[in-house]
Amino acid sequence: MKTTRFVFILFLLAYSPILITAQQTVYYQSVSQKIQEAKELYLARNYVSAINQFDQIASSSGENSDVRAEAMFYKALCGLKLDNGNAEEQIAEFLKEFPESSFRNRALFEQAIYQFDKKKYPAVLKTLESIDKSEISKDELAHFYYMKGYANFEKEKFDAALTAFSEIKDGNSLYAAPSQYYFGHIHYLKGNYETALQEFLKLKKNPVFEKVIPFYISQIYYKQAKYREVVDYTAPLINKVPADQQLELARLLGDSYFHLREFKNAIQFLEFYLSDKNNKGREENYMLGYCYYLNSQEAKAIPYLEIACKGKDELAQNAYYHLADCYVTTNDKNKARQAFEAASELDFDPKIKEDALFNYAKITYELSYSPFNETIKAFDKYITSYPNAERNDVAYDYLVKVYMSTSNYRDAMASIENIKVKNQSVKKAYQRVAYYRALECFNNLDYNGALENFNKSIDAGDFNKNYHSLALFWKAEALFRLNDFNKAITGYNAFMKSPGAIVLPEYKTAHYNLAYAYFQVKDYSAASDYFRKYLNLEDDLRSEKVADANNRLGDCNFLNRDYSQAISNYDKALRLNVYDADYSLYQKAFCLGLQRDNQGKINALNSLIQIYPNSSYQDDALFELGRTYERINQPQMATTYYKQLITKYPQSNLQNKALVQLGLVSYNANDFKGAVNYYKQVVDQSPNSPETQSALAGMKNSYVEMNDVDSYFAYTNKLGNGVQVSVNEQDSLSYQAAEKLYMAGDKKARAQFERYLNQFPNGGFVLNSHFYLAQLLYADGEFDKALAEYEMVIAQPDNYFTEGALSKAAGLHYNDQNYVQALAYFERLAKISNSGNNLPDALTGIMRCQFNLAKYPDCITTANQILALEKVSDILKRETNYKLGLSYYNSGNADKAFPILSKLSTDTNSAEGAESKFLVAEILFEKQKLKESEKEIMDFIDKNSPHQFWLAKSFLLLSDIYLKNGDEFQAKHTLKSIEENYPEKEDGILEATRQKLQVIEADEASQTKNQSKPLEINISGGKK
């Protein structure tokens, strides 16, 4: 509220001759000539010479004489005029030295003037308090009150200022007009507009004030809401005032025309006011936007209404509401949706709130935009909030349509479940959304969740025959994945009997899967029946499934001892050569052997070795070749193949068997030393393996033949307590009893194995017992105890049970997040599995551990190994590519990660695909490819992924894109959409959202500070 000293200076210069004359008063008639000359120098403003003259006079005068007092007074005055830095100190010294001097009052008055000029207003007020007003002239008294009033004004002591100005404002002094101005100005600031107006009207013809008074009069009329008076008074003046005054008057005129509902007239003045980029007041932007809106100029209205929206008040609600209509007219429905939503969230105007909510829900439905189930939530909210509204039935109809089209199945189910009385349309919709929600769970490997929702879909009714049949099929699939094969069998049969199932593609698959379910429960006759039915139904006779079905049909015939038919089935699979052909050839060879066609078996096994050098059945083929050549009495050939197995596959679980067979071949050839050597390798390498007893027995017989029993006993004595040299009958019978129960699936087997291990801690079947007991404990869910038993097996040299024990122990450690130990076990498993059946599982475990341990380079290597395997399921491919892509990304190699993540991102129904979609957008954003990044996010939104965390992360990224593009409105309302609709509270998304919103809203607040504050005007007519 500060005003310049312009008025005082202006009038001081205008009337300076009068002041100079007043200062030429002669106080002493009898002073000496030197005093007179010094005063003349003072009056001539030759202050330096005057100081020297007064100083000489003071020095030559008596210490307390009047002449000295007068000389010291004028010397101090000269110091004030020169502003020599210590002028006030000189006045203070004078007052202290001559407290009773007749010049004291005069000195105080001059000091006050000096302080006033220096804007030392507190000092001015203090000095004025010491002045005796009765000793100063009328003109000086006016000056006194002016200084007192203005100093109080500057200190914002308005009541004291009014009192001082009132003393002189109606007089004829030099200070009357400025006092009158400040008197009116203070009343204006205090809101006493009528009093201020009367004072200003008195000054409107004053040449000093005529340029500034119109501002006050216009402002006062405006503040009194006399809009017609504003228009009538201000419009004729606006082109006559200085340019720097026109903006504010334009605002007043535009605002007044707006309140008079003369919107077309308001436009030109509001346009002019807002042409100054410093003017960003929300109210003025709203008024101009609304004027354009009413004038059907919606495109022009939008930017002004967007600025007006930057708040949370009634103005913002109105602005959002009209802005939404503008967006609808300009065909920008997405922004219209955002604006209607924002208007519906504010509570100032209930009619606007209701209408905005309905339109928000309706446009959201029309756009099929519902990443966080906005459509259902909006209609739910409308129906709940306005149960008696005229449009309630319409909203309900829309809601049913949404249920029938939405891809946000989880939230749709929750919405329907909240409806107490469901009509047929709602039940029909529920059948659909429950079915698709179940599929979502199934695809994300949540089979229990899938079962729950398939049951809900089935129970909802059979409005849609396809949904009903498919729910039965996929329910059976979920049961199969959960290893509940008997219930899966019931489910597949129910599907195949359901109306319309026969025309569905799943009908053929159901036969194939049903056959597998029967196979798993060892009902091989039923399995054969359905594998044959599947093969009769399948049109693509060269598919992997056809090859697999022929193999499984061969297995069923093999287990039923129909070897000729089994060979026929294996041959069919082998001729296709598309899936597990090496298995087909191996099984065919085995069947030929059982038919005593040894040469046929040999030929088949040799073909397997030659045609499929990387087959996991290579070591099995070598072993069977050795056994076959033994049977046809060709021991040398048998030895060759056994040795090949030992040399080429040192980690094979057939190593010990091959060594035992080599010992037997040597024994039969009377090479007893050779036999002992082979048998010792078994005992030394695997003292607790199942082959140990056979090796010890063969060794004993060999030493007997050599008449060297002492050597046998010497050797066995060195073995220690860990190896039982002979198995007594009690040991053997106890183990066999436990094993028989185990193989029969009898739960009593656990107690039998525990009893056996207690009775025979060094028994001949300790290793077997530890492993089987571990399997039983695992099946009972006693994982810690099972792990201890598995690790007993693992602690021994590699043996028949090592692979199984490593696989289970590694998995248990992994589930406990003990990734370091799990990794060690998986790596050992991969090493001993070589190319066996456990290799894919081992590599998968290695990859997962490496990923969780942030060993990304190692994870990349392992992932590529998995992808190079011959047989990799689609689920494992998806996981492997995901970890491969993220490992590249986390290693800082976004370029290699990008194509992998891009491929994964096509399926956002999977968790891996959803995260990949976000990362693709983020990589593009980091490369400043904003359009491409935005396109990816929009595609993500359109796909309606169930994985809302990654969708919300993409929304956060989208807000950053909008900010970089300068679209604060879209950025803000993208974040608001997350804040209003994101369901999870504790995963960090909402916190990140609010932080970004706070930054935007703080920036908005700084940009849209109220520009309509009371105008403060200085005397020259400019706006401060």
Side-chain angles (χ1 to χ4, degrees):
M1 294 192 189
K2 294 186 177 180
T3 308
T4 68
R5 291 277 296 125
F6 177 80
V7 174
F8 175 69
I9 294 168
L10 179 67
F11 280 84
L12 185 62
L13 292 175
Y15 296 96
S16 59
I18 299 172
L19 293 175
I20 293 169
T21 302
Q23 291 169 349
Q24 292 177 344
T25 304
V26 178
Y27 292 94
Y28 301 98
Q29 298 297 325
S30 59
V31 293
S32 67
Q33 185 63 32
K34 287 184 178 181
I35 285 283
Q36 187 60 38
E37 290 173 358
K39 288 181 179 179
E40 287 174 359
L41 289 171
Y42 171 80
L43 293 174
R45 300 183 181 181
N46 190 350
Y47 302 121
V48 175
S49 297
I51 286 175
N52 293 330
Q53 190 78 0
F54 285 125
D55 199 34
Q56 291 177 14
I57 294 168
S59 298
S60 61
S61 303
E63 187 173 345
N64 296 316
S65 67
D66 291 341
V67 173
R68 175 177 169 77
E70 184 176 4
M72 292 302 291
F73 165 69
Y74 276 106
K75 179 184 176 183
L77 285 188
C78 289
L80 289 175
K81 301 301 182 182
L82 287 172
D83 193 14
N84 58 13
N86 65 343
E88 285 192 82
E89 287 81 354
Q90 289 180 348
I91 289 289
E93 288 176 6
F94 168 77
L95 293 171
K96 182 179 179 181
E97 187 176 352
F98 305 101
E100 303 299 328
S101 171
S102 59
F103 294 104
R104 181 180 183 279
N105 214 47
R106 182 67 180 174
L108 288 168
F109 189 75
E110 291 294 340
Q111 184 181 38
I113 293 172
Y114 176 82
Q115 291 168 336
F116 188 83
D117 288 340
K118 292 296 183 182
K119 301 181 181 180
K120 297 180 178 181
Y121 301 117
V124 169
L125 292 172
K126 184 177 180 181
T127 301
L128 291 177
E129 287 296 321
S130 301
I131 293 174
D132 185 349
K133 294 191 291 293
S134 65
E135 294 184 6
I136 58 178
S137 67
K138 182 178 179 182
D139 288 340
E140 289 173 334
L141 187 61
H143 193 180
F144 172 91
Y145 280 118
Y146 178 76
M147 288 192 293
K148 185 175 183 180
Y150 191 82
N152 278 302
F153 172 77
E154 285 291 338
K155 296 300 293 178
E156 298 185 12
K157 296 178 179 180
F158 296 134
D159 290 338
L162 286 174
T163 300
F165 287 133
S166 66
E167 293 285 343
I168 56 173
K169 73 180 183 67
D170 295 321
N172 297 315
S173 72
L174 176 66
Y175 303 102
S179 295
Q180 191 172 57
Y181 166 77
Y182 285 114
F183 187 85
H185 185 65
I186 291 170
H187 277 294
Y188 171 83
L189 295 177
K190 290 168 72 70
N192 302 326
Y193 299 123
E194 192 59 36
T195 301
L197 179 62
Q198 296 309 314
E199 297 297 330
F200 290 137
L201 287 172
K202 296 174 186 178
L203 293 169
K204 69 178 182 178
K205 293 184 179 180
N206 187 301
V208 175
F209 296 99
E210 64 181 355
K211 291 184 179 180
V212 70
I213 293 304
F215 269 98
Y216 281 97
I217 294 175
S218 297
Q219 284 274 7
I220 289 170
Y221 283 143
Y222 176 77
K223 290 182 178 298
Q224 291 177 323
K226 295 178 179 179
Y227 301 118
R228 181 56 62 191
E229 284 85 342
V230 174
V231 168
D232 292 343
Y233 179 80
T234 310
L237 296 174
I238 192 165
N239 292 323
K240 299 176 183 179
V241 299
D244 61 347
Q245 300 174 11
Q246 289 178 344
L247 284 172
E248 182 62 20
L249 290 180
R251 184 186 72 82
L252 298 180
L253 279 169
D255 199 331
S256 297
Y257 276 123
F258 184 88
H259 283 90
L260 292 169
R261 305 190 68 78
E262 296 179 23
F263 301 113
K264 286 187 177 181
N265 291 331
I267 288 176
Q268 61 173 319
F269 296 107
L270 291 169
E271 282 180 335
F272 179 70
Y273 174 73
L274 292 171
S275 65
D276 184 340
K277 300 303 181 184
N278 292 319
N279 293 331
K280 297 181 181 179
R282 292 175 54 231
E283 290 186 9
E284 291 76 25
N285 277 279
Y286 172 77
M287 287 188 284
L288 182 54
Y290 188 70
C291 289
Y292 281 138
Y293 169 71
L294 292 179
N295 203 35
S296 299
Q297 294 177 280
E298 288 84 2
K300 282 188 173 182
I302 287 171
Y304 297 101
L305 290 175
E306 283 185 347
I307 294 174
C309 289
K310 295 178 179 180
K312 297 180 181 179
D313 50 17
E314 187 172 6
L315 177 67
Q317 186 180 35
N318 278 275
Y320 276 125
Y321 186 65
H322 299 309
L323 179 60
D325 207 12
C326 291
Y327 284 135
V328 170
T329 303
T330 56
N331 201 33
D332 192 343
K333 284 193 172 183
N334 187 50
K335 284 190 174 181
R337 175 189 62 79
Q338 292 174 331
F340 275 130
E341 180 185 23
S344 74
E345 294 295 331
L346 297 170
D347 298 323
F348 300 97
D349 188 321
K351 289 184 179 180
I352 287 179
K353 183 178 179 69
E354 178 189 340
D355 191 61
L357 179 58
F358 181 83
N359 280 290
Y360 162 63
K362 180 173 174 287
I363 290 178
T364 303
Y365 168 75
E366 291 170 354
L367 289 172
S368 298
Y369 179 93
S370 198
F372 303 115
N373 201 32
E374 289 90 338
T375 312
I376 290 175
K377 288 178 181 176
F379 280 120
D380 273 346
K381 185 176 180 180
Y382 184 84
I383 291 168
T384 303
S385 301
Y386 308 104
N388 300 316
E390 291 181 7
R391 290 181 292 191
N392 198 286
D393 289 341
V394 177
Y396 201 93
D397 290 340
Y398 270 115
L399 193 55
V400 173
K401 291 177 183 177
V402 175
Y403 292 148
M404 293 304 294
S405 61
T406 185
S407 299
N408 198 325
Y409 309 114
R410 180 178 58 184
D411 290 343
M413 287 182 68
S415 174
I416 294 174
E417 287 166 1
N418 285 332
I419 298 174
K420 293 181 179 179
V421 180
K422 301 175 181 67
N423 60 24
Q424 293 298 96
S425 297
V426 173
K427 290 179 180 178
K428 180 179 179 181
Y430 191 73
Q431 180 196 21
R432 172 186 175 274
V433 295
Y435 169 71
Y436 282 112
R437 174 57 186 156
L439 281 184
E440 279 184 347
C441 294
F442 187 94
N443 289 331
N444 284 290
L445 313 183
D446 178 11
Y447 300 121
N448 287 313
L451 280 176
E452 179 184 352
N453 290 300
F454 282 132
N455 283 329
K456 287 181 178 180
S457 180
I458 293 166
D459 293 342
D462 57 353
F463 301 95
N464 184 302
K465 303 296 183 185
N466 280 355
Y467 287 145
H468 186 75
S469 295
L470 289 169
L472 290 169
F473 171 79
W474 288 106
K475 175 185 175 182
E477 280 288 282
L479 290 164
F480 187 95
R481 303 292 174 95
L482 290 169
N483 296 326
D484 194 343
F485 302 115
N486 286 312
K487 286 185 179 179
I489 289 168
T490 302
Y492 287 126
N493 280 310
F495 161 72
M496 289 188 291
K497 293 175 183 177
S498 64
I502 195 170
V503 299
L504 295 173
E506 288 78 7
Y507 187 73
K508 286 187 292 186
T509 306
H511 284 77
Y512 175 81
N513 292 347
L514 179 58
Y516 252 110
Y518 278 123
F519 190 87
Q520 292 292 340
V521 297
K522 301 181 180 180
D523 186 345
Y524 302 119
S525 295
S528 297
D529 186 30
Y530 278 98
F531 278 126
R532 278 193 295 271
K533 288 180 179 179
Y534 164 72
L535 290 170
N536 290 332
L537 289 169
E538 183 58 73
D539 298 322
D540 183 2
L541 298 180
R542 292 199 56 79
S543 70
E544 289 187 358
K545 273 189 177 179
V546 167
D548 185 61
N550 276 303
N551 274 335
R552 296 294 81 74
L553 194 54
D555 291 343
C556 291
N557 287 314
F558 173 81
L559 291 166
N560 287 327
R561 301 185 180 183
D562 187 348
Y563 303 123
S564 295
Q565 188 58 49
I567 291 171
S568 175
N569 298 133
Y570 292 134
D571 269 335
K572 289 179 182 179
L574 182 60
R575 284 194 296 272
L576 291 175
N577 198 29
V578 293
Y579 185 77
D580 272 358
D582 56 340
Y583 174 80
S584 307
L585 189 50
Y586 178 77
Q587 287 296 105
K588 175 185 176 182
F590 210 85
C591 289
L592 289 168
L594 293 172
Q595 290 182 321
R596 302 183 183 280
D597 183 357
N598 292 315
Q599 191 57 50
K601 179 180 180 180
I602 289 171
N603 293 340
L605 291 172
N606 277 319
S607 294
L608 189 154
I609 291 170
Q610 293 169 11
I611 299 172
Y612 304 105
N614 297 319
S615 170
S616 61
Y617 299 100
Q618 282 280 319
D619 56 340
D620 300 86
L622 290 169
F623 184 76
E624 285 299 322
L625 279 167
R627 292 291 303 275
T628 305
Y629 276 114
E630 277 192 82
R631 288 193 187 99
I632 62 175
N633 199 26
Q634 294 189 34
Q636 290 183 339
M637 289 297 295
T639 299
T640 300
Y641 285 110
Y642 288 137
K643 287 183 176 181
Q644 278 189 38
L645 188 158
I646 292 167
T647 302
K648 292 177 68 175
Y649 303 103
Q651 302 299 328
S652 171
N653 58 16
L654 295 172
Q655 275 273 316
N656 289 333
K657 289 181 180 294
L659 287 167
V660 169
Q661 292 304 123
L662 281 170
L664 183 59
V665 169
S666 297
Y667 179 87
N668 291 333
N670 298 321
D671 180 7
F672 304 121
K673 287 185 178 180
V676 167
N677 179 54
Y678 288 124
Y679 291 136
K680 280 186 176 181
Q681 288 183 56
V682 176
V683 178
D684 291 343
Q685 293 173 9
S686 308
N688 291 303
S689 71
E691 291 78 26
T692 299
Q693 292 301 320
S694 298
L696 286 169
M699 192 187 308
K700 177 182 178 182
N701 292 334
S702 297
Y703 276 120
V704 168
E705 293 293 336
M706 292 188 292
N707 294 315
D708 191 8
V709 178
D710 291 339
S711 294
Y712 171 73
F713 287 117
Y715 174 76
T716 56
N717 287 335
K718 293 178 182 179
L719 295 178
N721 296 328
V723 179
Q724 189 172 18
V725 176
S726 63
V727 180
N728 61 43
E729 188 174 6
Q730 184 182 2
D731 180 338
S732 178
L733 290 175
S734 296
Y735 171 74
Q736 289 175 14
E739 184 184 51
K740 184 177 180 181
L741 291 171
Y742 176 80
M743 296 302 177
D746 193 323
K747 292 184 177 181
K748 294 176 183 177
R750 172 177 170 177
Q752 284 289 90
F753 281 124
E754 289 172 340
R755 185 179 299 110
Y756 172 82
L757 289 169
N758 286 329
Q759 288 181 338
F760 305 102
N762 299 311
F765 305 96
V766 168
L767 191 66
N768 309 49
S769 298
H770 278 302
F771 181 77
Y772 292 138
L773 178 58
Q775 294 285 76
L776 291 167
L777 291 166
Y778 187 94
D780 288 341
E782 296 185 40
F783 300 122
D784 289 341
K785 290 182 178 179
L787 180 60
E789 296 297 328
Y790 285 129
E791 290 187 328
M792 290 287 289
V793 177
I794 293 168
Q796 303 302 318
D798 292 343
N799 54 74
Y800 180 78
F801 300 107
T802 301
E803 282 194 47
L806 281 170
S807 178
K808 287 290 178 61
L812 289 170
H813 278 298
Y814 182 87
N815 292 338
D816 286 340
Q817 300 182 12
N818 185 4
Y819 302 123
V820 174
Q821 186 60 58
L823 178 59
Y825 282 162
F826 279 128
E827 287 176 337
R828 182 177 168 190
L829 177 62
K831 186 178 180 181
I832 67 171
S833 295
N834 200 6
S835 58
N837 292 331
N838 277 321
L839 182 60
D841 291 340
L843 290 174
T844 301
I846 291 169
M847 175 186 69
R848 288 170 178 167
C849 291
Q850 289 168 338
F851 185 82
N852 287 324
L853 292 169
K855 294 185 174 184
Y856 300 121
D858 293 341
C859 186
I860 290 168
T861 301
T862 308
N864 283 318
Q865 286 180 286
I866 294 171
L867 293 174
L869 294 173
E870 183 179 357
K871 292 180 285 186
V872 184
S873 69
D874 290 340
I875 292 173
L876 181 56
K877 279 182 184 177
R878 183 175 75 190
E879 180 188 354
T880 303
N881 277 303
Y882 165 76
K883 287 184 167 59
L884 179 62
L886 254 70
S887 293
Y888 278 126
Y889 181 80
N890 292 331
S891 299
N893 196 339
D895 289 337
K896 282 196 173 181
F898 189 82
I900 301 169
L901 297 174
S902 293
K903 188 174 181 181
L904 284 170
S905 71
T906 57
D907 177 18
T908 59
N909 284 322
S910 71
E912 298 91 343
E915 183 178 357
S916 297
K917 192 70 168 176
F918 164 72
L919 291 173
V920 165
E922 187 174 60
I923 291 170
L924 290 169
F925 178 82
E926 289 170 352
K927 291 178 177 291
Q928 300 301 310
K929 296 182 178 181
L930 303 184
K931 286 186 178 179
E932 292 93 329
S933 181
E934 181 179 353
K935 184 179 178 182
E936 288 292 332
I937 295 171
M938 291 303 174
D939 183 57
F940 196 0
I941 293 169
D942 289 341
K943 289 180 182 295
N944 284 307
S945 171
H947 302 284
Q948 296 194 337
F949 176 83
W950 295 111
L951 191 58
K953 291 276 285 184
S954 298
F955 267 64
L956 291 173
L957 182 61
L958 183 60
S959 74
D960 292 337
I961 293 172
Y962 286 139
L963 284 176
K964 278 188 173 287
N965 289 331
D967 192 343
E968 290 185 4
F969 181 88
Q970 283 272 61
K972 176 181 177 180
H973 290 285
T974 298
L975 295 170
K976 293 290 288 184
S977 179
I978 303 174
E979 186 179 47
E980 296 296 334
N981 298 295
Y982 187 68
E984 300 298 329
K985 306 299 181 186
E986 304 298 333
D987 61 4
I989 291 293
L990 290 177
E991 182 181 356
T993 300
R994 288 171 185 138
Q995 288 175 354
K996 287 179 178 287
L997 270 174
Q998 285 173 2
V999 173
I1000 292 175
E1001 289 172 349
D1003 185 56
E1004 286 180 351
S1006 68
Q1007 291 179 16
T1008 58
K1009 288 180 180 178
N1010 187 8
Q1011 301 294 316
S1012 301
K1013 60 185 179 182
L1015 186 65
E1016 297 173 14
I1017 305 169
N1018 64 25
I1019 274 308
S1020 64
K1023 183 179 177 184
K1024 289 184 75 174

